[in-house]
Amino acid sequence: KNQVEQSPQSLIILEGKNCTLQCNYTVSPFSNLRWYKQDTGRGPVSLTIMTFSENTKSNGRYTATLDADTKQSSLHITASQLSDSASYICVVSAEKAAGNKLTFGGGTRVLVKP
Amino acid sequence: DAGITQSPRHKVTETGTPVTLRCHQTENHRYMYWYRQDPGHGLRLIHYSYGVKDTDKGEVSDGYSVSRSKTEDFLLTLESATSSQTSVYFCAISEGQGVYEQYFGPGTRLTVT
């Protein structure tokens, strides 16, 4: 069964500090991995999409890494801001999945404190 | 929210009543999706559409039906709402398959009492 597991479930960091979120997946055959940011009460917004051949991708202060061999990804947030408080969701797509089916992780809730 | 609107944004209904949620897009994207999001679960696909009048089931389709009569509108119907269908429902759109972005709407919070 395709699964995506994220850790930690939640974390609190001080403004200006860095943090790293983890994602492990068992989706096969792998097509791509995405990280989404979801603010409270809003829909998810894409941060990055990575395919098998990409092992790092950045979007501003967000940097995602992918190790397709170990089926792990991480999302690093640099110099956190209060606006980074949100849930971060790791999403994996299988190749030729019917309906572009995405397998979603449960998310990591990040709270940035001043 | 990438030209996607959902209506209503909030709804409270009673068990056994039919409910229809609407998703409207202005992007002319081919694919449209309905997901539900519940605590302890990642988003789960209910139904999706790959063109006008072309729809298929997702992983949690029981108790739900959909229709797409125009490119821009995708309707989700709960034929007889149950308390287990209390959830937040998200519509999403994408231009194509594979590495295409999926853009999500703002969500509809549905409570079935």
Side-chain angles (χ1 to χ4, degrees):
Chain A
K1 181 182 176 183
N2 290 338
Q3 286 188 311
V4 177
E5 300 289 339
Q6 293 187 241
S7 62
Q9 281 193 315
S10 63
L11 68 103
I12 300 173
I13 58 174
L14 292 178
E15 187 179 12
K17 298 297 185 183
N18 304 335
C19 68
T20 300
L21 316 179
Q22 301 293 339
C23 173
N24 296 325
Y25 62 92
T26 58
V27 176
S28 183
F30 175 83
S31 173
N32 59 82
L33 183 144
R34 309 157 188 236
W35 282 95
Y36 282 85
K37 178 186 179 188
Q38 185 175 22
D39 293 314
T40 300
R42 305 199 64 174
V45 175
S46 180
L47 295 174
T48 63
I49 298 178
M50 288 184 292
T51 60
F52 185 89
S53 58
E54 298 171 296
N55 55 23
T56 241
K57 204 158 200 180
S58 291
N59 177 354
R61 294 177 297 99
Y62 301 103
T63 299
T65 65
L66 172 65
D67 186 334
D69 291 332
T70 62
K71 299 187 177 181
Q72 295 180 323
S73 176
S74 65
L75 181 70
H76 187 75
I77 305 175
T78 303
S80 60
Q81 300 178 357
L82 298 179
S83 60
D84 292 330
S85 293
S87 286
Y88 292 84
I89 305 172
C90 177
V91 186
V92 182
S93 175
E95 241 183 48
K96 299 179 183 176
N100 297 332
K101 186 181 181 301
L102 306 179
T103 302
F104 290 78
T108 293
R109 185 174 296 275
V110 174
L111 177 61
V112 181
K113 287 192 168 182
Chain B
D1 293 315
I4 309 169
T5 55
Q6 293 184 230
S7 58
R9 294 293 315 279
H10 302 270
K11 186 170 182 67
V12 180
T13 192
E14 292 184 349
T15 298
T17 59
V19 176
T20 296
L21 309 183
R22 180 184 184 235
C23 177
H24 178 80
Q25 61 148 327
T26 58
E27 306 296 325
N28 201 36
H29 283 358
R30 178 182 174 189
Y31 290 84
M32 298 186 76
Y33 313 83
W34 277 108
Y35 292 92
R36 61 179 289 173
Q37 186 174 40
D38 304 291
H41 293 274
L43 279 95
R44 292 178 291 174
L45 182 66
I46 305 171
H47 281 279
Y48 67 97
S49 169
Y50 47 97
V52 173
K53 298 186 179 178
D54 292 323
T55 65
D56 206 346
K57 296 179 180 180
E59 61 184 297
V60 290
S61 59
D62 288 348
Y64 301 96
S65 62
V66 290
S67 65
R68 190 169 179 199
S69 58
K70 298 185 289 185
T71 298
E72 57 267 35
D73 289 326
F74 193 31
L75 304 180
L76 177 71
T77 297
L78 289 65
E79 290 130 15
S80 177
T82 66
S83 58
S84 64
Q85 293 175 312
T86 292
S87 187
V88 180
Y89 291 85
F90 287 99
C91 174
I93 64 174
S94 68
E95 287 185 84
Q97 301 189 70
V99 294
Y100 285 90
E101 287 274 10
Q102 281 197 21
Y103 300 96
F104 286 82
T108 293
R109 182 172 294 277
L110 176 67
T111 303
V112 184
T113 61

